[in-house]
């Protein structure tokens, strides 16, 4: 097996584990089941990850990197320029294509399991993303894009509560709205969310709004 094939197998195993963990919960999934669905031998799973705990760590880091990447891209200069011009749709364009991908669609469902179970890993992820979000809010405030308020940490927490609430209530909103807010309905959901945030965050308390 070539090194390229080996790396592809590792990613396939990780993604399969993510999907099975999201669907059934980590405690209900065996290494053998993951190997069978990924089309590899159990020995190869052990070779790449050592144990189920090692595989779980890889899944968690994959999820962490997914949202880290979205946060990184949302703070790019060209996006900040768009936001300063009132084009909040640029953020929606960053988010929408990601969650429409087949493999990535399992990430919100996996996060929902972590958050609802009270798993410390879920709290750690929220803490990390909250720190990053506060940094972005402060940068946007300095650029005159938003008013981060007197307490950016709480303001960021409020926004994250709304965003992650979608993961927790996705099934209910799918029934109520008749469209999947984490699937085909995501582009419209993201656009409307950013329009609401844009209206809330550009208040008269920001220095640039008082000039």
């Amino acid at each position: 097996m070539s090194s390229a094939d080996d790396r592809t197998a590792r990613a396939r195993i990780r993604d399969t584990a993510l999907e099975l963990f999201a669907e059934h919960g980590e405690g209900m999934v065996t290494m053998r089941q993951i190997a069978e669905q990924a089309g590899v031998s159990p020995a190869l799973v052990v070779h790449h990850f050592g144990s189920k705990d090692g595989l779980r760590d890889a899944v968690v880091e994959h999820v962490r990197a997914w949202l880290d990447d979205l946060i990184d891209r949302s703070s790019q200069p060209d996006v900040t320029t768009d936001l300063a011009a009132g084009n909040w749709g640029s953020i929606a364009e960053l988010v929408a294509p990601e969650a429409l991908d087949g493999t990535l669609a399992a990430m919100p469902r996996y996060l929902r399991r972590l958050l609802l179970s009270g798993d410390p890993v879920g709290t750690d992820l929220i803490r990390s993303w909250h720190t990053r979000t506060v940094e972005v809010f402060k940068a946007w405030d300095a650029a005159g894009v938003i008013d981060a308020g007197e307490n950016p940490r709480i303001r960021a927490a409020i926004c994250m509560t709304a965003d992650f609430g979608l993961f927790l209530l996705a099934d209910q909103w799918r029934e109520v709205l008749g469209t999947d807010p984490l699937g085909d309905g995501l582009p419209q959901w993201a656009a409307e969310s950013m329009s609401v945030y844009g209206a809330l965050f550009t208040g008269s308390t920001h220095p640039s709004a008082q000039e």
Side-chain angles (χ1 to χ4, degrees), residues 8 20 30 54 87 93 97 105 116 120 144 147 151 159 166 175 183 193 196 201:
T8 299
L20 290 175
T30 67
N87 180 19
E93 291 170 4
L116 289 178
D147 173 10
N151 195 325
C159 294
L166 171 59
E175 292 295 323
S193 295
V196 170
F201 287 176

Side-chain angles (χ1 to χ4, degrees), residues 20-207:
L20 290 175
F21 289 168
E23 184 68 22
H24 305 291
E26 295 164 353
M28 301 299 294
V29 178
T30 67
M31 295 277 274
R32 183 172 295 277
Q33 288 173 326
I34 294 168
E36 290 177 355
Q37 185 152 322
V40 302
S41 69
L44 187 60
V45 179
V46 174
H47 167 72
H48 281 301
F49 300 99
S51 65
K52 188 175 177 182
D53 285 342
L55 180 52
R56 188 209 194 213
D57 289 344
V59 168
V60 169
E61 287 309 306
H62 186 45
V63 173
R64 186 194 302 273
W66 162 64
L67 198 53
D68 279 349
D69 179 61
L70 289 179
I71 294 173
D72 285 342
R73 286 189 283 145
S74 70
S75 60
Q76 293 298 310
D78 57 335
V79 175
T80 301
T81 298
D82 284 346
L83 298 183
N87 180 19
W88 287 85
S90 61
I91 291 289
E93 291 170 4
L94 287 179
V95 176
E98 292 290 341
L100 292 176
D101 181 273
T103 300
L104 292 178
M107 291 193 178
R109 291 186 286 115
Y110 180 63
L111 276 172
R112 175 168 53 188
R113 280 193 177 274
L114 287 178
L115 297 176
L116 289 178
S117 67
D119 193 311
V121 170
T123 302
D124 180 65
L125 289 172
I126 293 295
R127 180 180 293 108
S128 173
W129 290 329
H130 176 254
T131 298
R132 302 280 323 276
T133 301
V134 172
E135 292 172 353
V136 171
F137 278 18
K138 288 181 178 179
W140 284 352
D141 186 281
V145 172
I146 66 169
D147 173 10
E150 295 182 0
N151 195 325
R153 295 183 72 252
I154 292 181
R155 186 160 293 196
I158 292 170
C159 294
M160 289 179 66
T161 298
D163 291 338
F164 282 94
L166 171 59
F167 297 163
L168 304 181
L169 296 173
D171 292 342
Q172 287 75 21
W173 288 130
R174 189 180 302 113
E175 292 295 323
V176 171
L177 298 176
T179 184
D180 185 356
L182 293 177
D184 58 356
L186 180 62
Q188 184 175 4
W189 183 283
E192 290 295 333
S193 295
M194 297 317 301
S195 294
V196 170
Y197 291 158
L200 292 175
F201 287 176
T202 53
S204 60
T205 59
H206 196 283

Side-chain angles (χ1 to χ4, degrees), residues 5-25:
D5 289 338
D6 196 48
R7 285 194 300 272
T8 299
R10 188 182 194 283
R12 188 166 69 251
I13 294 166
R14 181 204 61 206
D15 291 346
T16 299
L18 169 63
E19 292 171 359
L20 290 175
F21 289 168
E23 184 68 22
H24 305 291

